[in-house]
Amino acid sequence: MKKIVLATQNRHKVREIKKLLRGLGIKVLTLDCFPGAPEVVEDGKTLEENAAKKARETALYTDSWALADDTGLEVKYLGGKPGVYSARWAGPGCSYHDNNVKLLRELKNARGEKRKAVFKCVMALSDPSGKVKLAKGGISGVITENIRGKNGFGYDPVFYIRKYRKTFAEMPLGLKNRISHRGRALGKAKKLIMQRLAHSG
Ligand code: IMP
């Protein structure tokens, strides 16, 4: 069976991506199978650069196909921040909760449409030689005024989708995956996986 390594240490992402890749007939491995794999430094200026770097370095280290994701939340009122800096926005070692508290604080004077935000996800698929192709997905929402819901991770409890009247953290994972930035990017990445990996030797 063909295999692909997920280039992430984030167990929430692993859970979401594994669920989305089910049924392709491809064995999905995680970095836990490769003890000693070096942590990739995310020093790119864009989501594309970071995703490509994570996929390429993991593919070269494991000598396998690799799939990486880099995600950012862009808030209109904040001129697109935190964007590529979403992970450690509240400072080194910060928690998801710290980031959410900072976001709500920075938006305390923003009302209505000013709280619009977009989640963007870039998936990078690398072959074992380090050749990368990208797939992108996004979803629009608004930032809530309070933390809402217990599911998911990261900014899920403050990212609200009007159509469903729920934050991502109030949705079951199946629904989040169907509509999310990552679900959409992975829908496209799946086509790349089938075209490239399925036809590889
Ligand atoms: P990363 O650099 O791709 O790992 O993502 C940056 C940060 O964005 C993460 O640390 C999370 O805080 C946040 N993030 C990524 N994906 C999601 C998601 O699906 N929901 C909520 N927050 C997310």
Side-chain angles (χ1 to χ4, degrees):
M1 191 189 249
K2 311 244 168 144
K3 59 186 169 61
I4 191 163
V5 183
L6 299 186
T8 178
Q9 305 278 7
N10 182 323
R11 65 189 169 85
H12 300 280
K13 284 190 184 178
V14 168
R15 182 161 172 247
E16 290 186 8
I17 295 170
K18 273 192 162 175
K19 193 169 161 88
L20 284 158
L21 289 179
R22 229 174 256 163
L24 287 188
I26 292 167
K27 191 169 165 63
V28 180
L29 303 177
T30 62
L31 287 173
D32 296 341
C33 306
F34 301 91
E39 195 167 330
V40 179
V41 181
E42 294 185 33
D43 52 4
K45 294 212 166 23
T46 61
L47 301 177
E48 286 81 356
E49 277 174 41
N50 281 337
K53 186 178 180 198
K54 285 188 265 191
R56 185 178 302 112
E57 291 192 11
T58 302
L60 293 174
Y61 181 82
T62 59
D63 194 24
S64 304
W65 286 81
L67 185 68
D69 127 341
D70 205 52
T71 297
L73 176 68
E74 297 181 0
V75 181
K76 193 175 173 193
Y77 185 73
L78 302 176
K81 283 191 206 155
V84 74
Y85 305 108
S86 295
R88 277 165 288 279
W89 195 42
C94 65
S95 65
Y96 292 144
H97 185 70
D98 297 334
N99 281 334
N100 287 329
V101 168
K102 174 169 176 172
L103 184 56
L104 296 184
R105 198 176 54 235
E106 299 231 348
L107 290 184
K108 73 176 185 306
N109 297 321
R111 295 280 166 270
E113 297 299 294
K114 289 192 174 159
R115 300 183 78 91
K116 274 188 173 172
V118 185
F119 252 127
K120 291 187 179 168
C121 175
V122 179
M123 305 278 329
L125 174 70
S126 176
D127 72 11
S129 76
K131 191 159 174 265
V132 171
K133 291 238 187 279
L134 302 178
K136 302 179 194 182
I139 180 165
S140 301
V142 286
I143 304 301
T144 51
E145 297 197 0
N146 298 295
I147 283 169
R148 290 176 48 171
K150 297 218 176 315
N151 300 334
F153 70 103
Y155 297 94
D156 281 349
V158 295
F159 192 80
Y160 180 83
I161 313 285
R162 284 201 179 114
K163 181 172 174 197
Y164 295 93
R165 298 185 179 190
K166 283 181 173 39
T167 65
F168 271 157
E170 292 174 314
M171 293 180 187
L173 180 56
L175 176 57
K176 180 186 172 190
N177 269 349
R178 221 170 49 236
I179 61 172
S180 77
H181 47 300
R182 184 165 299 105
R184 289 176 179 174
L186 209 56
K188 296 179 192 164
K190 260 171 146 172
K191 292 194 184 127
L192 289 176
I193 291 170
M194 293 318 287
Q195 285 161 9
R196 299 184 71 206
L197 201 151
H199 296 122
S200 65

